[in-house]
Amino acid sequence: MRKILLYLLLACTSASAATENTEGTNQMSWKQTSYNFQVPSYFSDGREYFYGDGPYSMVIYQHQDAQLSYCSLLGSWACDDADFPGAGSVIAQDATIKNIVYKAKNGVFSGYTTDGRIFYMKKKRQEKAIVHEDGASFCHSSFLAIVYPKSRQKEMDPVIQMINKIKDFDGNTDSNAQLTFKTVAGIYDSFNEDGGNKDRICLNNDGTASWNVIGSLHFTEFTYTIKGNTIYMKDADSSETRYTYDPKARTLKSPEGTLYYLQQE
C-alpha cells in the first residue's frame, strides 16, 4: 500500500508545467461544477452532506465506491480547524481518516480511510477572515478530496493531478450566483456576546418566512424574494427589509450588520 502512495507522491510533486496535462487527463471527460474545479463527467451531480459532529458540510460527487468531496468552510463560526485533517477526521460520507502517510507544504495530504480506501486531498487556508458580530475574526479552511479503492488507482490519477495543481477551489459567492428558495431554506440564529441565541429567522422553501425572539412567543410572518445575493423580507404591511446572504458561510446579514448563522442539525 505504501508503494501506491509513493507513486502518488512522485506523480504529483515531480510534474512540471509541461507535463501537468497528461494523456490520461486529456482523455478523461470532465464537467464543470459551480465551484472552481471540474469532476469526471460520469460522477453524480453534487449533493450536500452535513457532518453534524464536525461541524461542517460537504458537497459530494460520487461514482460507485469513489467520492470527490468539497468543503467550503471547515468548522462553525468559532471552530478551530488547525488540527484538520487527522486520524478520525471525516472527509466524505462514510469516509473517516485512519492514518496520514504523506503531508506536503502545499496543503496536500494522502493516506488511508478506516474502510481501507485511499484518500488524496488538498486543504486551503482562506485568505479572507470571517468577522463575527462580537468583533472577533477567524480564518477558516476549505478542502477538496478524492476517496477511492486502490483497484481504481489508474482511473483516479487524472483527478489526483487536478487536485494537486489547483490553486483556488473556493465556491462562487458573487452576486451572479443563482440562489433558490431550496438552497437558502433553513433556520438562522443570531447570538449575543456570551454565545447564547438572540433571535431567529426561519426561511421556508415556499417563499414564506418568520422572525422571532428566542424564548418568546412573539413572531412576525413574512414573504421573501431573492435577487442575486439579496433576500427581500416583506412584512404584512408591505414594509421591506433587505438581508445579504452569503452562500459560502451560509449566513444572513441584516441592514444593521447582525449576522444570522444557519442552524446545523
Side-chain angles (χ1 to χ4, degrees):
M1 291 190 292
R2 288 183 176 274
K3 289 183 179 180
I4 294 174
L5 291 172
L6 179 60
Y7 169 77
L8 295 180
L9 170 61
L10 292 175
C12 296
T13 59
S14 63
S16 65
T19 60
E20 280 183 342
N21 292 324
T22 65
E23 182 179 356
T25 306
N26 291 334
Q27 290 178 348
M28 178 173 281
S29 176
W30 301 83
K31 61 182 178 181
Q32 187 65 42
T33 68
S34 56
Y35 311 100
N36 293 329
F37 61 87
Q38 295 179 318
V39 299
S41 59
Y42 56 88
F43 272 53
S44 66
D45 292 334
R47 59 179 177 80
E48 188 173 27
Y49 167 69
F50 178 67
Y51 174 57
D53 293 334
Y56 45 90
S57 64
M58 293 165 271
V59 179
I60 304 291
Y61 305 85
Q62 187 168 2
H63 179 260
Q64 298 174 354
D65 48 7
Q67 292 185 62
L68 183 68
S69 63
Y70 168 64
C71 175
S72 63
L73 184 67
L74 278 168
S76 59
W77 50 90
C79 180
D80 185 6
D81 57 24
D83 296 328
F84 184 96
S89 295
V90 174
I91 56 173
Q93 187 170 358
D94 302 321
T96 303
I97 292 178
K98 179 180 180 181
N99 63 331
I100 295 175
V101 177
Y102 171 70
K103 176 182 178 181
K105 292 182 179 180
N106 65 346
V108 166
F109 299 82
S110 187
Y112 295 94
T113 59
T114 54
D115 59 5
R117 287 183 291 175
I118 297 170
F119 78 87
Y120 187 94
M121 68 176 293
K122 178 177 279 189
K123 174 183 174 182
K124 182 178 180 296
R125 188 76 166 170
Q126 293 179 354
E127 297 179 359
K128 186 178 180 180
I130 297 175
V131 181
H132 303 293
E133 63 180 281
D134 60 0
S137 63
F138 300 88
C139 284
H140 290 287
S141 298
S142 50
F143 72 81
L144 183 64
I146 182 70
V147 181
Y148 60 94
K150 61 181 180 180
S151 61
R152 301 182 69 174
Q153 179 62 61
K154 186 176 181 180
E155 177 191 356
M156 292 299 112
D157 279 350
V159 182
I160 292 167
Q161 294 169 26
M162 179 271 293
I163 293 174
N164 183 67
K165 68 183 181 181
I166 197 169
K167 294 181 179 179
D168 184 5
F169 45 77
D170 287 341
N172 183 3
T173 61
D174 61 34
S175 59
N176 294 321
Q178 177 124 21
L179 301 178
T180 65
F181 292 149
K182 182 177 180 181
T183 57
V184 304
I187 300 172
Y188 296 81
D189 287 341
S190 68
F191 300 89
N192 56 35
E193 295 181 355
D194 298 325
N197 295 56
K198 187 177 179 181
D199 52 52
R200 171 175 294 168
I201 294 175
C202 300
L203 299 181
N204 304 312
N205 59 16
D206 62 356
T208 61
S210 63
W211 175 88
N212 66 285
V213 177
I214 301 297
S216 171
L217 295 178
H218 170 75
F219 70 93
T220 305
E221 293 183 337
F222 301 88
T223 58
Y224 70 98
T225 55
I226 303 172
K227 295 180 182 179
N229 280 12
T230 303
I231 294 179
Y232 296 81
M233 308 274 286
K234 182 176 289 188
D235 202 346
D237 62 1
S238 295
S239 61
E240 192 173 68
T241 305
R242 300 181 182 184
Y243 290 80
T244 303
Y245 182 78
D246 185 336
K248 184 177 179 180
R250 305 295 294 274
T251 58
L252 288 170
K253 187 176 183 180
S254 73
E256 297 76 26
T258 301
L259 283 177
Y260 293 80
Y261 300 89
L262 178 66
Q263 182 184 111
Q264 308 283 19
E265 296 179 337

